[in-house]
């Protein structure tokens, strides 16, 4: 490997750091209608009357659209492959409002001040209904969130809108109850994880217009351009062939932009007026009507024998879908299947879940996609079991978790997939060494009221969705011998344009600069399901490998033709096709130029890839914290992460992914909390209320890799995007326990909870 596994600079690095105009709002600066929404102030209500007459008289107001003007076909906002597993439970504008912030009317005009005034001039008569805000009381509640008769799901997900069920399922492997009878130690606890906002730098934004062919052009900051095309088609009731979606550079997504959030409102305005329209979410709107991580309550039973051999696991996940079911049926599955699989030696497991509707903001995709919630719960339970057994928790894990010794084994909790690669044991051993675990565990006094302690967790994720995700790639040999790599995968700041180019350069044996990469335009790019589910490196990467190998064959064939030598007697070294028998050769430049002269032999190659397996990357996370026993304040002193993502394609970009994911995980553990008041209004709608950590809030984050080789991945690679957020919450909770003897089972871990827990302990 000459280019792969090298820390080359991102292809767009200089444009981004020098502030070049590359984002949606930079490239759509022409005359466009400004689009804003009148949003519901009620958590549950029906629009009885709406009067827009006075607002329409304001200067520059082009149109005001209500539910009477919007199509009536239900759809899902979730950017997922067809048939989408998320239920069709939405309209663009609906008479029934299901959460605070639901859209009541779309206002479009040329002057922002008058648009804001128009929003105030619209008169709405609401029939205010009783809201259902506590998701733990939602199932079979008499308050129905979705009573509509045209509610439907395309696949069997256990949905029942008459019971407020977005999705439900029960599954069991082995006889769990029988196994628990043989367990001498059982942990049975309930853990709660809060909703989290993705807080990406660039908020949701979309520009729409008609092109010269009368087609709807959608320029949007999205992770899923091809899914956006389908969702816009469903919602607006127009054929996909009439829609083109373009993705410029996007300023982060972390899963938030795996849903359609801002696209439909300007699109409807353009459809109605024929004029360009643009909608830019404010930061407040991104907080109040984005698509945060689902709130979850997970009950775990975990049983072992006296020696710490875990025999059985039972998980029940109760998931708050909020007002709409986007990603609800799929995120919840990962909470069990990716958490329990880590302990693959168990004799039996059981996984039940209910995803329920409520009158709160709907959930969506967020890095980790449900595995984060499940791994927090199960890893906390494993740490509690270790305490009960009086055993070092790292030793308990080494006894039970997936290791290289299980390569070749089936993983029943992971859809019976076979483990092809695993260095989780090496990851944990290295992490212990890096933080000096044996000398620091469990804690040490460092001064008056100050105590330092360590905590640990392990995690796994996947690499794409097996038998679903598809990546396609096209590569073109241009005159003078440079290549254009056409991809449908979305670079959202992660650097996939760069790492996919690295793979292409390695196979074609050329300099990275010889690969021009082209981002996503659904009219031009080959189909790709999008950048989510940690799929790009693994799925699209393999498409690059296959496509570039095909390109090599075509170059060889054309070179042999031009040299008048049988193709089996030539070879290609990246610069020349040469004879294996004499000194004849022809340069790539000449092949490219001559192939375009009088031969009609434009050399291109295109391949697609999907995978019947989703190989898990692994990670061990170990943290050292300092707790002030007087105030409960927690400071991160050191965080050590060791990751097995197979072959590391670009060490610098991978390291940044790990550091960023750990920062987000620390935020989830200690600070971030999406909260509502008693009327369902969000109380954490700005960075003044919704706290995320800065670099000043964490000390060292140290990252190392223990690379296995994944035989089904490109160059042996697996994913890294999501797994990195999964260990901070359980590891920090563990360290806090080691310092204070307080088990925090409800995130975030606040000073108040710690102090109150210590006071409770004193009473015992």
């Amino acid at each position: 490997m000459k280019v792969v596994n090298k820390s080359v600079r991102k292809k767009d690095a200089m444009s981004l750091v020098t502030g070049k105009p590359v984002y949606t709002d930079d490239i759509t600066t022409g005359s466009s209608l400004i689009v804003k929404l009148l949003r519901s102030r009620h958590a549950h209500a029906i629009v009885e009357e709406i009067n827009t007459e006075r607002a329409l008289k304001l200067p520059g107001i082009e149109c005001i659209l209500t539910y009477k003007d919007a199509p009536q076909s239900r759809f899902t906002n979730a950017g997922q492959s067809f048939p989408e597993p998320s239920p069709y439970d939405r309209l663009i504008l609906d008479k029934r409002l299901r959460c605070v912030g639901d859209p009541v009317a779309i206002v479009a005009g040329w002057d922002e001040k008058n648009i804001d005034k128009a929003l105030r001039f619209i008169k709405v008569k609401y029939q205010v209904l009783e809201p259902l805000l506590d998701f733990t009381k939602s199932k079979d509640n008499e308050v129905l969130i979705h009573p509509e008769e045209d509610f439907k799901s395309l696949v069997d997900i256990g949905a029942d809108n008459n019971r407020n069920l977005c999705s439900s399922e029960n599954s069991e492997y082995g006889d769990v109850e029988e196994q628990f009878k043989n367990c001498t130690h059982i942990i049975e606890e309930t853990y709660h994880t809060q909703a989290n906002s993705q807080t990406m730098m660039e908020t949701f934004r979309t520009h729409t217009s008609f092109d010269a062919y009368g087609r709807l052009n959608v320029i949007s900051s999205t992770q899923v351009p091809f899914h956006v095309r389908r969702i816009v088609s469903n919602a607006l009731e127009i054929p996909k062939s009439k829609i083109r979606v373009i993705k410029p550079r996007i300023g982060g997504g972390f899963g938030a932009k795996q849903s359609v959030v801002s696209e439909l409102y300007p699109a409807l305005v353009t459809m109605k007026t024929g004029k360009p329209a643009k909608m830019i979410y404010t930061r407040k709107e991104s907080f109040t009507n984005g698509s945060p991580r689902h709130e979850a309550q997970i009950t775990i039973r975990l049983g072992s024998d006296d020696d710490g051999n875990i025999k059985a696991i039972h998980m029940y996940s109760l998931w708050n879908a909020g007002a709409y079911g986007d990603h609800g049926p799929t995120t919840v599955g990962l909470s069990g299947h990716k958490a329990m699989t880590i302990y693959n030696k168990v004799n039996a497991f059981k996984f039940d879940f209910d995803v329920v509707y409520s009158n709160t903001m709907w959930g969506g995709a967020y890095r980790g996609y449900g595995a984060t919630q499940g791994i927090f719960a199960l890893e906390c339970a494993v740490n509690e079991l270790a305490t009960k057994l009086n055993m070092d928790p790292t030793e308990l894990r080494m006894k039970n978790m997936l290791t290289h010794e299980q390569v070749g084994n089936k993983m029943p909790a992971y859809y019976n997939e076979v483990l092809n690669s695993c260095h989780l044991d090496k990851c944990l051993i290295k992490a212990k060494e890096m933080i000096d675990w044996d000398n620091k565990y469990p804690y040490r006094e460092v001064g008056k009221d100050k105590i330092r302690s360590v905590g640990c967790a392990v995690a796994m994720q996947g690499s794409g969705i097996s038998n679903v995700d598809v990546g396609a790639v096209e590569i073109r040999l241009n005159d003078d011998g440079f290549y254009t790599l056409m991809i449908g995968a979305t670079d959202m700041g992660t650097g996939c344009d760069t790492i996919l180019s690295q793979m292409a350069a390695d196979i074609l044996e050329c300099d990275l600069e010889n690969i021009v990469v082209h981002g996503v335009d659904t009219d031009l790019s080959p189909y790709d399901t999008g950048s989510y589910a940690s799929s790009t490196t693994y799925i699209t990467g393999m498409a690059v490998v296959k496509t570039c190998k095909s390109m090599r064959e075509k170059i060889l064939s054309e070179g042999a033709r031009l040299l008048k030598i049988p193709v089996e007697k030539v070879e290609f070294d990246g610069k020349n096709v040469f004879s294996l028998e004499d000194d004849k050769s022809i340069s790539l430049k000449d092949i490219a130029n001559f192939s375009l002269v009088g031969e009609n032999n434009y050399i291109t190659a295109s391949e697609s890839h999907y995978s019947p397996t989703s190989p898990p990357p692994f990670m061990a996370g170990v943290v050292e914290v300092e707790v002030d026993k007087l105030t409960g304040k927690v400071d991160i002193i050191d965080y050590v992460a060791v990751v097995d993502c197979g072959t590391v394609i670009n060490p610098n970009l991978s390291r940044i992914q790990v550091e960023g994911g750990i920062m987000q995980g620390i935020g989830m553990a200690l600070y971030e909390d999406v909260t509502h008041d008693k009327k369902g209004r969000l109380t954490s709608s700005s960075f003044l209320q919704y706290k995320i950590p800065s670099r000043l809030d964490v000390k060292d984050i140290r990252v190392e890799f223990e690379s296995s080789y994944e035989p089904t991945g490109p160059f042996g690679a697996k994913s890294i995007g999501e797994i990195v957020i999964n260990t901070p919450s359980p590891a920090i909770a563990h360290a806090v326990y080691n310092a204070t003897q307080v088990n925090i089972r409800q995130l975030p871990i606040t000073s108040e909870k710690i102090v109150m827990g210590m006071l409770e302990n004193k009473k015992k």
Side-chain angles (χ1 to χ4, degrees):
M1 296 182 291
K2 294 183 178 178
V3 187
V4 167
N5 199 230
K6 301 293 186 297
S7 294
V8 301
R9 177 191 284 177
K10 282 173 65 176
K11 277 186 166 287
D12 54 358
M14 292 311 294
S15 293
L16 299 180
V17 300
T18 57
K20 300 293 184 188
V22 294
Y23 298 99
T24 298
D25 200 32
D26 297 326
I27 63 174
T28 56
T29 54
S31 178
S32 301
L33 288 167
I34 300 167
V35 178
K36 293 194 177 188
L37 298 180
L38 177 67
R39 295 184 178 278
S40 172
R41 62 179 186 272
H42 302 291
H44 200 187
I46 292 176
V47 177
E48 291 189 329
E49 294 179 17
I50 183 165
N51 186 331
T52 62
E53 190 174 336
R54 187 181 173 204
L56 278 169
K57 291 178 180 175
L58 288 167
I61 297 301
E62 188 75 17
C63 68
I64 298 176
L65 306 176
T66 71
Y67 68 90
K68 297 174 185 175
D69 306 300
Q72 294 299 302
S73 294
R74 292 199 181 273
F75 60 94
T76 176
N77 267 354
Q80 299 172 304
S81 293
F82 179 85
E84 298 106 315
S86 297
Y88 279 21
D89 55 12
R90 283 179 177 273
L91 296 175
I92 301 175
L93 294 168
D94 202 337
K95 279 190 75 172
R96 180 178 287 269
L97 307 169
R98 298 176 174 83
C99 66
V100 174
D102 245 2
V104 178
I106 304 171
V107 180
W110 301 102
D111 179 78
E112 191 164 1
K113 286 185 178 178
N114 280 325
I115 293 171
D116 291 337
K117 192 181 289 185
L119 292 171
R120 296 194 297 273
F121 282 6
I122 298 172
K123 301 301 178 188
V124 185
K125 182 180 178 184
Y126 296 100
Q127 178 190 351
V128 179
L129 305 175
E130 179 185 355
L132 176 52
L133 302 176
D134 184 350
F135 78 103
T136 64
K137 298 176 181 176
S138 184
K139 185 177 175 181
D140 295 323
N141 195 295
E142 61 183 17
V143 176
L144 285 183
I145 313 300
H146 284 277
E148 64 270 14
E149 293 183 356
D150 56 350
F151 174 100
K152 67 177 180 181
S153 57
L154 304 186
V155 297
D156 183 10
I157 52 172
D160 187 344
N161 56 317
N162 293 313
R163 301 181 63 198
N164 285 331
L165 276 176
C166 168
S167 179
S168 63
E169 186 180 295
N170 303 298
S171 60
E172 185 169 0
Y173 167 80
D175 190 333
V176 165
E177 297 307 324
E178 191 61 33
Q179 289 297 322
F180 275 121
K181 290 178 184 175
N182 299 322
C183 292
T184 49
H185 302 279
I186 295 176
I187 298 293
E188 184 168 0
E189 297 290 350
T190 297
Y191 303 85
H192 183 274
T193 60
Q194 75 283 39
N196 299 131
S197 181
Q198 295 88 347
T199 64
M200 59 281 171
M201 293 284 284
E202 184 194 33
T203 63
F204 304 100
R205 54 198 59 207
T206 301
H207 179 274
T208 55
S209 62
F210 282 127
D211 64 17
Y213 305 97
R215 300 171 71 231
L216 179 67
N217 283 201
V218 180
I219 302 174
S220 193
S221 181
T222 177
Q223 297 172 223
V224 286
F226 288 93
H227 293 331
V228 167
R229 186 173 65 178
R230 182 185 58 253
I231 294 167
V232 171
S233 168
N234 288 344
L236 295 181
E237 301 174 343
I238 58 175
K240 283 184 191 175
S241 61
K242 296 290 185 184
I243 303 166
R244 177 186 187 185
V245 179
I246 299 168
K247 176 218 69 87
R249 311 315 300 170
I250 72 174
F254 307 116
K257 294 172 184 174
Q258 196 195 333
S259 292
V260 160
V261 178
S262 60
E263 287 84 350
L264 295 173
Y265 309 113
L268 184 59
V269 168
T270 294
M271 292 295 293
K272 293 289 185 183
T273 65
K275 298 176 181 177
K278 180 160 62 180
M279 183 168 197
I280 297 178
Y281 267 44
T282 62
R283 179 59 65 184
K284 182 176 181 180
E285 281 181 306
S286 289
F287 273 119
T288 58
N289 293 91
S291 54
R293 187 188 300 286
H294 292 90
E295 182 182 14
Q297 181 172 288
I298 300 173
T299 300
I300 289 184
R301 281 195 298 160
L302 177 70
S304 81
D305 61 18
D306 282 330
D307 295 326
N309 296 302
I310 298 175
K311 300 290 187 182
I313 304 173
H314 180 193
M315 292 183 71
Y316 171 64
S317 291
L318 179 62
W319 224 246
N320 184 16
Y324 302 98
D326 306 346
H327 297 282
T330 41
T331 52
V332 70
L334 274 62
S335 70
H337 293 297
K338 290 191 177 173
M340 292 191 294
T341 301
I342 297 170
Y343 301 99
N344 196 51
K345 291 181 179 176
V346 296
N347 297 328
F349 66 83
K350 190 176 182 182
F351 178 42
D352 310 320
F353 65 75
D354 290 309
V355 183
V356 295
Y357 287 109
S358 69
N359 291 118
T360 58
M361 179 170 48
W362 60 90
Y366 186 180
R367 195 177 205 166
Y369 204 75
T372 311
Q373 294 95 311
I375 287 171
F376 166 70
L378 185 54
E379 286 299 282
C380 284
V382 169
N383 284 329
E384 292 194 46
L385 177 63
T387 300
K388 199 167 189 176
L389 291 165
N390 195 28
M391 181 181 288
D392 185 318
T394 62
E395 297 304 316
L396 179 62
R397 285 182 170 81
M398 292 297 283
K399 187 185 281 279
N400 291 283
M401 69 185 190
L402 287 168
T403 68
H404 73 282
E405 292 179 350
Q406 293 195 54
V407 170
N409 290 353
K410 280 188 175 180
M411 298 176 283
Y414 197 52
Y415 316 108
N416 274 322
E417 289 196 14
V418 174
L419 182 69
N420 290 316
S421 59
C422 178
H423 276 179
L424 181 55
D425 45 345
K426 288 187 177 180
C427 291
L428 185 54
I429 291 168
K430 188 162 202 169
K432 286 178 64 178
E433 292 172 354
M434 289 171 69
I435 211 160
D436 194 17
W437 174 273
D438 290 337
N439 289 317
K440 293 181 177 177
Y441 174 76
Y443 68 88
R444 56 202 168 103
E445 303 280 352
V446 291
K448 185 182 180 184
D449 298 321
K450 296 286 181 69
I451 189 165
R452 287 193 177 184
S453 58
V454 291
C456 69
V458 296
M460 63 168 270
Q461 197 78 33
S463 301
I465 307 172
S466 54
N467 292 308
V468 173
D469 281 343
V470 173
V473 167
E474 180 185 349
I475 194 162
R476 302 167 182 171
L477 177 62
N478 303 293
D479 49 332
D480 278 1
F482 70 96
Y483 302 97
T484 300
L485 183 66
M486 307 289 292
I487 61 173
T490 299
D491 193 330
M492 50 183 167
T494 50
C496 81
D497 286 1
T498 305
I499 62 110
L500 295 174
S501 299
Q502 285 180 258
M503 295 181 195
D506 228 316
I507 293 172
L508 294 168
E509 297 184 75
C510 67
D511 294 335
L512 188 62
E513 290 70 27
N514 220 36
I515 306 285
V516 176
V517 64
H518 200 288
V520 187
D521 177 336
T522 55
D523 274 8
L524 305 173
S525 307
Y527 181 82
D528 194 293
T529 41
S531 289
Y532 59 89
S534 298
S535 63
T536 303
T537 299
Y538 181 72
I539 295 291
T540 311
M542 275 306 290
V544 169
V545 170
K546 292 161 72 172
T547 299
C548 291
K549 286 182 176 178
S550 178
M551 171 56 84
R552 281 189 69 102
E553 294 301 315
K554 292 188 176 185
I555 291 170
L556 277 170
S557 178
E558 182 65 3
R561 186 187 69 79
L562 292 167
L563 290 172
K564 299 179 180 172
I565 299 174
V567 68
E568 59 271 16
K569 294 184 179 178
V570 296
E571 190 48 272
F572 176 52
D573 64 4
K575 295 180 179 177
N576 299 286
V577 170
F578 57 90
S579 169
L580 294 170
E581 295 182 340
D582 52 36
D583 59 356
K584 286 185 177 179
S585 69
I586 183 169
S587 69
L588 180 64
K589 178 178 179 180
D590 285 343
I591 292 171
N593 288 329
F594 285 121
S595 68
L596 297 174
V597 179
E599 290 293 337
N600 279 340
N601 197 17
Y602 179 42
I603 301 176
T604 67
S606 181
E607 302 285 347
S608 62
H609 183 71
Y610 88 102
S611 177
T613 183
S614 174
F618 298 97
M619 174 175 168
V622 182
V623 66
E624 181 177 12
V625 303
E626 183 173 290
V627 180
D628 186 323
K629 291 193 290 185
L630 199 60
T631 64
K633 185 173 183 291
V634 178
D635 289 316
I636 305 293
I637 303 300
D638 192 10
Y639 202 102
V640 168
V642 184
V643 184
D644 166 20
C645 58
T647 300
V648 181
I649 303 298
N650 185 318
N652 271 2
L653 295 183
S654 297
R655 190 177 303 278
I656 292 167
Q657 287 259 24
V658 181
E659 292 177 357
I662 289 171
M663 284 283 286
Q664 287 181 311
I666 290 172
M668 178 181 180
L670 295 177
Y671 311 109
E672 300 180 36
D673 199 4
V674 173
T675 55
H676 301 83
D677 65 14
K678 292 180 179 178
K679 293 185 177 181
R681 296 173 299 199
L682 204 72
T683 55
S684 51
S685 58
S686 80
F687 281 119
L688 288 174
Q689 295 93 25
Y690 190 85
K691 301 297 185 185
I692 61 173
S694 74
R695 192 70 192 180
L696 298 177
D697 295 307
V698 297
K699 299 295 188 295
D700 291 330
I701 295 177
R702 294 184 289 150
V703 178
E704 294 292 342
F705 298 97
E706 277 290 347
S707 298
S708 61
Y709 184 88
E710 172 55 42
T712 66
F715 297 89
K718 297 185 282 190
S719 79
I720 196 169
E722 294 183 278
I723 185 173
V724 293
I725 199 171
N726 291 337
T727 61
S729 290
I732 293 170
H734 184 217
V736 167
Y737 173 80
N738 288 331
T740 64
Q741 304 299 294
V742 175
N743 272 312
I744 305 293
R745 302 187 180 98
Q746 180 167 350
L747 296 177
I749 303 167
T750 62
S751 301
E752 291 83 355
K753 291 175 185 173
I754 293 171
V755 171
M756 294 304 293
M758 288 191 290
L759 291 174
E760 286 296 318
N761 284 343
K762 285 183 179 178
K763 294 178 183 176
K764 295 177 182 175

